[in-house]
Amino acid sequence: MDFAGEITDPIHRYIRFSQAEKDIIDSAAFQRLRRIRQLAGAHLVYPSAQHSRFEHSLGAMHIAGLACESLLGKGYIDNAEVVEELRLAALLHDIGHGPFSHLFEEVLETRCRTSHEEMGRLIITKSEIADALGKNGYSADHISRLSFGQSNVHFLNEIISGGLSADIMDYLPRDSYFTGAEYGKIDYHRLISSYEVASGRLAINRSALNSLESMLISRYEMFKAVYFHKTVRSAEVMLLHSMINADDALALTDTSLENYLSITDEATLERLCALDNGMAARLARDYRDRRLLKCVYEKLLHKRDRHKRMDRKALSALEVEIAQAAGVDRSHVFADASRASSMPLTPSKREMFSVLVTDKKGVREVPVSEIPLVDSIAGFFDMLRIYTTAESRQKVERSVKKVLGDQETMEMGAGRLHGSVR
């Protein structure tokens, strides 16, 4: 592959790019990712977490290239063009994210039943991205299918997303570096060098099982320390409710390309803060000024099997009951249910329950239950939290004990969840 230049990166040192990749990177649709933070409101807890979807996408492209080169050298990929296609797919896998990253996806799901993947397909196939791909001889439809796990070649999908993917191998060390949390350091070079293909699926050599175990534990620890941190989620709850309440006024979930490509973190926050007085404006301004909601209750449920999640209707009823018991306005109480799987999701959005392992004896599908430390965290968990404003804290805390029972109240630590989480 001929490279047109390189970018200095704190995680991967140098990221080289081809002319086709340069044309994508230079497009306005891709440059927009500079203005969408990777971790939404986490910078209000970890001040250096200012990194964006832009650099994560570059990193994912770089690692996808390393993975493909490893498989090309072993004969599992017989065409160098596939390497470039996978790099482009990884580069574009997050192109559909809205403001505040995964947080906006909660708004999309609530308001219009769509996802960032669906928006990504639209951007890749209908915007200037499609023109840039076509100009360089690539099919936008084909790259879109690769980007979102729809290739007929299963192991190619697994390079983009899943437990052995370029996505996880970039976001863990990148998020760890920029938050200052030390949990996300992983040996992805060892994993990539061990890649094999068996039965059309991505596999690893048995000698790399320890590296896989370490990466999955690192992911678990990052969820405890960063992604599900109670104060990080406080900021996200504020933005979530602000955007949902303001959607009718601001048409945030207008999924036309012109509108969607215009909404970024700061642009959206500015529009929210500029609203006339109301719940959406109050929450947005408090978020901007870091006057965050206070967590007065949290309960962790960790189960081996998936179970029904509290829906928005149930959470809303709980908010009403707690507010009435506290004698405060309903708008001062926020019930939040966060769910995650201990294991990464496969390209088909199912939990990773096993990994294909090769050795001199052949190929075996190893359940995660046979990887001791990983088995100890396997399963699903739900975190129920109740947040309130600073002025209502004491009243709501007392009412929560009446409504939910003080035996369930867990000690508020220094931002760490207690028990097993994702």
Side-chain angles (χ1 to χ4, degrees):
M1 182 188 302
D2 293 327
F3 289 100
E6 67 181 19
I7 297 167
T8 303
D9 180 72
I11 308 304
H12 309 300
R13 296 285 294 165
Y14 299 103
I15 296 175
R16 296 188 294 174
F17 53 86
S18 68
Q19 184 59 51
E21 292 159 358
K22 182 179 186 298
D23 289 343
I24 298 295
I25 293 167
D26 286 344
S27 69
F30 193 85
Q31 288 291 317
R32 164 182 170 271
L33 296 181
R34 290 183 184 271
R35 301 184 292 280
I36 297 176
R37 287 191 183 92
Q38 175 81 357
L39 297 181
H43 64 287
L44 297 180
V45 178
Y46 299 96
S48 296
Q50 301 280 354
H51 58 304
S52 70
R53 290 280 157 182
F54 179 87
E55 52 262 42
H56 165 60
S57 297
L58 295 176
M61 175 192 74
H62 172 74
I63 292 181
L66 295 179
C68 286
E69 288 167 10
S70 175
L71 295 174
L72 182 68
K74 296 176 182 179
Y76 294 116
I77 294 175
D78 58 9
N79 187 340
E81 186 174 337
V82 175
V83 178
E84 175 62 6
E85 290 174 344
L86 259 291
R87 283 175 59 95
L88 286 167
L91 181 66
L92 291 167
H93 81 287
D94 273 350
I95 194 70
H97 268 296
F100 311 108
S101 294
H102 286 291
L103 184 60
F104 193 69
E105 190 148 19
E106 295 186 55
V107 181
L108 289 174
E109 290 173 357
T110 300
R111 298 287 296 178
C112 56
R113 303 294 181 187
T114 191
S115 67
H116 84 270
E117 288 97 344
E118 291 178 25
M119 293 308 303
R121 293 184 192 100
L122 185 63
I123 293 169
I124 292 171
T125 58
K126 302 297 182 183
S127 75
E128 61 188 314
I129 299 290
D131 298 334
L133 289 169
K135 167 188 167 184
N136 287 279
Y138 297 99
S139 163
D141 287 332
H142 179 59
I143 298 301
S144 175
R145 288 193 295 273
L146 281 175
S147 292
F148 304 111
Q150 296 179 318
S151 170
N152 293 328
V153 183
H154 191 77
F155 75 86
L156 296 182
N157 295 330
E158 293 178 292
I159 292 173
I160 303 298
S161 64
L164 294 170
S165 67
D167 182 41
I168 191 172
M169 291 183 193
D170 181 81
Y171 80 67
L172 279 179
R174 191 172 299 279
D175 292 350
S176 176
Y177 178 88
F178 282 103
T179 59
E182 295 293 328
Y183 307 107
K185 294 181 179 179
I186 59 175
D187 187 3
Y188 62 82
H189 288 290
R190 179 71 188 91
L191 282 166
I192 288 172
S193 68
S194 80
Y195 276 0
E196 306 283 347
V197 175
S199 303
R201 291 173 52 195
L202 199 59
I204 59 172
N205 189 277
R206 177 170 291 278
S207 62
L209 266 179
N210 286 343
S211 295
L212 175 63
E213 179 184 67
S214 176
M215 184 173 72
L216 294 177
I217 295 296
S218 293
R219 178 178 175 275
Y220 162 88
E221 294 293 346
M222 284 295 288
F223 267 92
K224 287 203 300 181
V226 178
Y227 308 139
F228 270 38
H229 188 295
K230 65 182 174 68
T231 310
V232 170
R233 187 59 186 172
S234 170
E236 293 179 347
V237 166
M238 296 172 74
L239 283 173
L240 178 62
H241 282 266
S242 179
M243 287 190 287
I244 290 174
N245 279 275
D247 193 30
D248 288 336
L250 300 180
L252 297 175
T253 55
D254 170 5
T255 54
S256 65
L257 274 181
E258 182 179 4
N259 179 71
Y260 199 82
L261 290 174
S262 73
I263 54 176
T264 57
D265 287 11
E266 295 307 319
T268 301
L269 182 60
E270 184 176 343
R271 292 174 68 192
L272 292 169
C273 290
L275 289 168
D276 292 335
N277 287 333
M279 181 179 179
R282 172 172 61 83
L283 288 171
R285 292 166 192 162
D286 283 348
Y287 169 88
R288 179 194 62 191
D289 299 332
R290 206 187 181 279
R291 293 191 296 265
L292 303 181
L293 298 172
K294 305 301 180 182
C295 182
V296 296
Y297 173 92
E298 65 178 355
K299 178 184 177 183
L300 175 66
L301 296 176
H302 182 245
K303 296 186 177 182
R304 286 283 173 176
D305 302 310
R306 183 186 290 276
H307 57 287
K308 188 175 180 179
R309 178 184 182 178
M310 288 187 73
D311 59 19
R312 186 61 245 171
K313 185 177 180 180
L315 291 171
S316 181
L318 182 58
E319 290 169 351
V320 171
E321 187 177 3
I322 292 171
Q324 288 177 344
V328 302
D329 191 280
R330 155 74 187 286
S331 65
H332 287 208
V333 179
F334 302 85
D336 179 60
S338 303
R339 164 171 286 183
S341 165
S342 300
M343 296 296 104
L345 300 182
T346 66
S348 60
K349 304 303 180 184
R350 295 173 181 167
E351 291 74 26
M352 175 184 171
F353 290 116
S354 62
V355 60
L356 283 183
V357 175
T358 66
D359 58 20
K360 292 180 180 180
K361 296 180 181 179
V363 181
R364 188 167 81 90
E365 187 163 5
V366 176
V368 295
S369 60
E370 293 187 16
I371 308 176
L373 290 180
V374 175
D375 180 54
S376 70
I377 63 170
F380 304 87
F381 78 94
D382 281 300
M383 175 61 73
L384 173 64
R385 288 190 174 114
I386 306 299
Y387 290 97
T388 188
T389 57
E391 62 267 28
S392 298
R393 182 172 188 168
Q394 291 185 345
K395 290 181 179 179
V396 173
E397 192 164 12
R398 287 195 297 266
S399 73
V400 164
K401 292 179 180 180
K402 295 176 183 177
V403 173
L404 295 174
D406 57 3
Q407 72 275 13
E408 302 290 1
T409 304
M410 302 173 69
E411 180 183 356
M412 296 292 106
R416 296 293 299 275
L417 305 184
H418 303 278
S420 298
V421 296
R422 183 176 177 183

